Amino acid sequence: MHNIHELEKRWLRYKIKSFIPHVSVTLISILAFIVFMNLDINSMMETETKPTKILSKKIQKVEVAQAPILNIDVIKEVKIPLLKNEPIHKEKNVLLAPSFDFIRKLRNDSTSNYQSNGDTLQEVKTEVTPKIQKKVHVKQDTVVRKKKKQKLKISKQETQADIAHVIKRFHKNNNPALSLFVAKKYYRLGEYDKSYNYALITNQLNNNIDESWIIFSKSLVKLGKRDQAIQTLKRYITFSHSQNAKSLLDNILSGNFK
Amino acid sequence: MKSSIFTNSKNVYLDTVDAKDYVQLDRVSTIYQSLKNSVKKPLKMILLFGKPGTGKSMFLSKLQQDLSSTQEIYYYKTPIVDESEFFKSIAKDLYNFQEDKELNFTQIMKIMQDNTKEGVPLILLDEAQLYSDALMEKIRLLSDTRKMKFVIALHKTQSEDLIAKEHFQTRIWESIELKNALKNELKIYIQKKLMKANCFDSANMFSNNSIKLIYSLTDGNYRDTNKLLYTVFEIYEWYYEHNISKINTNKMSHKIIEMAAIHVGLINA
């Protein structure tokens, strides 16, 4: 008979050999699974941490937009303990924006400086929690209000001084450019009777100035003399063929300009 | 005694060609019947081919046993590769013609013409792939005389297919292919063999799983199965005598099947 013990050993070796592929495949599968799980956890961790970075970046944008006015303190407050407490999806719906009332006031003050500041502030929007928004608002308002008071005073003084100075000069040299400037200034300030007068004076001095006729007609409309304005513009167009005048006439006739 | 059962079981699978050991399987029986029918037809040559161990020799043996009572039949188990010896054997067996000197093709043709027979004797040639091309050509010419019929069994290989093409394609012949057993056939084969030898306990040891394992190792080849099972029962025999606690006599051990497969070279370990 055969050497059974030797045969058993060979059989054992064969079994071990035949199991090696199965064992290695199983081990590889387990390892792959573990690696995959780790990657998955890591990616989940990354997605959890990503919003923090995004938020801080956006906040920094606010900082840049409002740079001269906003304090760094505000940004420090914004940064972040809130992120742990607040759900991420809620943050997207919250806007950090300056008060629109404040902007309107700035515009009414009709100073170019204010308007530019206002525009800048209006464009600044970002995502923060409501808590942050409140804090930032408070700070922004206080800062800008201070500025508003100062600049408003200064610009009004400048405008009045400008007009008075130009009128004085106009009386000296009867330059239609100066009278047109005064008419435009008054029109802008909403003093349409004065703008009408100075536009009329300008037209008498030089009846070929487009802008003067346009201010004259606009002032008439604003003073409620729409028909007179239309008549004036039609006559002016017949001899000047001015495109600006035609455009204004169309706007008046269509009711776009009231 | 159980040991004797394992010994008997082992001997069942001794690799011998004996018509008594022929196992009746449905598909094999159908093929065998078609071979028998072909022999009755006026065919000059019948080709029986298949891989080694598919039962060609057993078929020829069985055919000889079955037809010997009704027909003149001669079975040459081993090829007679020398032409003269081949012709001398034919002359002696078919026509009782004894010749000490060499016998050539012309002489055997003359002997055939001189001796008329009632029926057409059937000559079974096993391992025909070992015959030379020249001798095969002469065998073809002998069959053309219609004085004798040949059943030629050969292994199916590429070169043997060529022999078949060259020598038999233009003749009126029938070819029958033998194949390995299917899984269910193998189970019947294994168990029938054991039951024929009254080894019922051993036959009951084989479960479907153990048959599946044996099939995967032997691919249903009868010779390989015989070799494997002979060794399996030999190992059982040894364990029974030396370490009976290691074996379960009611169920075929996969370990022992694999050990036997390693021993006979079906598993490379």
Side-chain angles (χ1 to χ4, degrees):
Chain A
M1 182 49 208
H2 327 286
N3 185 349
I4 295 293
H5 298 296
E6 176 60 27
L7 205 55
E8 279 182 333
K9 281 179 192 169
R10 285 175 71 189
W11 175 81
L12 195 64
R13 280 201 298 271
Y14 159 72
K15 289 311 275 186
I16 291 165
K17 253 197 241 175
S18 64
F19 272 112
I20 285 171
H22 299 289
V23 171
S24 54
V25 165
T26 311
L27 281 174
I28 289 165
S29 306
I30 291 166
L31 279 171
F33 179 74
I34 291 165
V35 169
F36 176 76
M37 287 301 289
N38 278 341
L39 284 173
D40 201 36
I41 290 163
N42 288 340
S43 64
M44 281 173 69
M45 295 276 281
E46 279 174 20
T47 50
E48 278 175 13
T49 52
K50 267 181 185 174
T52 314
K53 291 175 185 173
I54 292 163
L55 192 64
S56 63
K57 276 182 185 175
K58 287 187 176 176
I59 291 159
Q60 281 172 354
K61 279 182 185 174
V62 174
E63 183 186 1
V64 172
Q66 299 176 342
I69 302 162
L70 289 172
N71 289 325
I72 295 165
D73 293 343
V74 177
I75 296 152
K76 280 181 181 172
E77 275 185 67
V78 168
K79 271 186 187 166
I80 302 359
L82 300 167
L83 292 171
K84 288 175 185 171
N85 300 328
E86 298 289 333
I88 296 160
H89 63 275
K90 279 185 183 175
E91 289 174 5
K92 287 185 177 178
N93 298 327
V94 182
L95 295 173
L96 175 65
S99 163
F100 288 100
D101 295 338
F102 157 71
I103 293 163
R104 278 188 213 106
K105 279 180 184 175
L106 281 175
R107 282 181 176 164
N108 290 336
D109 288 343
S110 74
T111 53
S112 59
N113 282 339
Y114 270 103
Q115 280 175 354
S116 65
N117 274 335
D119 289 343
T120 314
L121 289 167
Q122 195 175 17
E123 285 169 6
V124 176
K125 291 181 180 177
T126 189
E127 297 166 1
V128 189
T129 61
K131 204 172 176 182
I132 299 163
Q133 192 182 16
K134 282 178 186 174
K135 287 184 179 180
V136 174
H137 272 192
V138 171
K139 292 224 170 189
Q140 283 176 346
D141 284 347
T142 52
V143 173
V144 179
R145 267 176 203 155
K146 283 176 189 172
K147 195 175 176 182
K148 186 177 76 178
K149 279 177 186 174
Q150 290 168 353
K151 289 210 169 184
L152 194 64
K153 200 176 177 183
I154 294 161
S155 66
K156 279 217 167 187
Q157 283 173 348
E158 279 176 357
T159 310
Q160 294 300 333
D162 282 348
I163 293 170
H165 179 69
V166 174
I167 291 170
K168 206 175 178 180
R169 281 174 61 198
F170 173 70
H171 286 310
K172 279 183 184 173
N173 58 19
N174 274 349
N175 187 338
L178 294 174
S179 59
L180 177 60
F181 176 81
V182 175
K184 282 158 78 176
K185 277 282 181 190
Y186 278 128
Y187 183 82
R188 223 175 275 168
L189 290 169
E191 296 179 34
Y192 301 117
D193 50 345
K194 288 182 182 174
S195 66
Y196 166 81
N197 284 333
Y198 276 93
L200 185 61
I201 292 164
T202 309
N203 290 343
Q204 285 169 351
L205 292 171
N206 183 351
N207 64 355
N208 286 327
I209 302 171
D210 246 20
E211 275 187 290
S212 176
W213 283 104
I214 283 163
I215 289 290
F216 178 76
S217 304
K218 280 182 173 178
S219 301
L220 280 172
V221 174
K222 293 289 181 188
L223 292 168
K225 298 174 181 175
R226 185 173 172 272
D227 293 337
Q228 198 182 334
I230 292 166
Q231 291 293 327
T232 308
L233 277 171
K234 279 181 178 172
R235 279 182 208 158
Y236 174 67
I237 289 163
T238 50
F239 79 86
S240 72
H241 307 289
S242 163
Q243 287 301 318
N244 290 333
K246 279 180 187 173
S247 170
L248 178 62
L249 178 62
D250 290 342
N251 284 334
I252 293 166
L253 290 170
S254 64
N256 288 338
F257 184 81
K258 290 176 182 175
Chain B
M1 186 180 164
K2 197 90 179 176
S3 177
S4 70
I5 289 175
F6 286 132
T7 309
N8 289 343
S9 304
K10 178 183 80 174
N11 292 334
V12 164
Y13 294 103
L14 274 172
D15 192 22
T16 54
V17 179
D18 190 341
K20 288 175 196 167
D21 298 332
Y22 179 80
V23 177
Q24 197 91 6
L25 299 169
D26 287 349
R27 190 168 58 104
V28 177
S29 294
T30 309
I31 294 168
Y32 179 69
Q33 197 55 47
S34 83
L35 176 63
K36 271 176 88 176
N37 294 338
S38 301
V39 167
K40 287 172 191 167
K41 290 178 197 170
L43 299 168
K44 295 183 229 171
M45 284 181 140
I46 297 158
L47 182 66
L48 188 64
F49 69 100
K51 288 176 186 170
T54 49
K56 295 181 296 291
S57 301
M58 180 61 86
F59 254 58
L60 294 182
S61 178
K62 175 78 174 154
L63 192 68
Q64 188 200 19
Q65 190 194 52
D66 290 353
L67 298 181
S68 56
S69 57
T70 57
Q71 184 174 3
E72 197 178 344
I73 186 163
Y74 303 95
Y75 178 25
Y76 296 95
K77 291 179 185 175
T78 49
I80 306 163
V81 289
D82 182 75
E83 266 189 38
S84 175
E85 285 300 314
F86 180 77
F87 295 143
K88 275 158 74 175
S89 298
I90 296 281
K92 186 188 169 191
D93 291 340
L94 272 69
Y95 306 107
N96 284 320
F97 184 85
Q98 287 277 12
E99 177 63 63
D100 295 331
K101 294 178 190 173
E102 286 201 344
L103 201 64
N104 59 32
F105 181 69
T106 314
Q107 287 168 318
I108 188 73
M109 287 293 272
K110 193 171 181 308
I111 292 166
M112 282 168 65
Q113 295 294 334
D114 295 345
N115 296 279
T116 52
K117 281 181 173 282
E118 281 186 21
V120 179
L122 183 64
I123 298 167
L124 311 177
L125 299 178
D126 203 359
E127 306 286 356
Q129 73 278 356
L130 297 175
Y131 289 100
S132 66
D133 288 358
L135 183 53
M136 284 304 292
E137 191 62 23
K138 283 164 185 140
I139 290 168
R140 181 182 67 77
L141 291 170
L142 286 173
S143 72
D144 281 347
T145 62
R146 293 193 179 273
K147 298 275 185 187
M148 57 185 75
K149 267 187 201 176
F150 287 92
V151 175
I152 293 164
L154 48 78
H155 294 170
K156 190 192 178 189
T157 63
Q158 199 175 1
S159 60
E160 285 140 17
D161 280 350
L162 282 174
I163 291 170
K165 272 184 187 172
E166 286 172 11
H167 296 287
F168 311 120
Q169 208 167 38
T170 55
R171 305 285 165 259
I172 302 165
W173 57 277
E174 188 156 313
S175 64
I176 295 164
E177 184 178 6
L178 295 178
K179 290 180 178 174
N180 287 339
L182 301 174
K183 206 180 290 175
N184 58 335
E185 289 172 344
L186 193 70
K187 186 179 182 182
I188 295 165
Y189 173 78
I190 290 167
Q191 292 185 325
K192 266 194 174 180
K193 258 179 115 67
L194 286 166
M195 285 192 280
K196 264 180 140 181
N198 295 324
C199 300
F200 298 106
D201 291 343
S202 303
N204 285 332
M205 287 169 74
F206 290 92
S207 66
N208 283 339
N209 281 340
S210 51
I211 296 293
K212 199 175 166 186
L213 176 62
I214 292 165
Y215 184 82
S216 71
L217 293 166
T218 63
D219 198 28
N221 187 281
Y222 296 107
R223 186 173 292 147
D224 286 342
T225 304
N226 287 343
K227 270 164 62 184
L228 178 71
L229 291 179
Y230 178 88
T231 314
V232 164
F233 285 113
E234 203 174 26
I235 293 168
Y236 263 106
E237 195 180 32
W238 185 91
Y239 275 118
Y240 192 83
E241 286 170 9
H242 298 93
N243 197 348
I244 195 166
S245 62
K246 275 197 165 184
I247 54 167
N248 179 355
T249 53
N250 297 318
K251 193 183 171 190
M252 183 56 63
S253 160
H254 283 204
K255 178 187 169 183
I256 290 176
I257 294 172
E258 284 170 345
M259 281 169 67
I262 290 166
H263 181 73
V264 299
L266 292 172
I267 289 175
N268 185 20

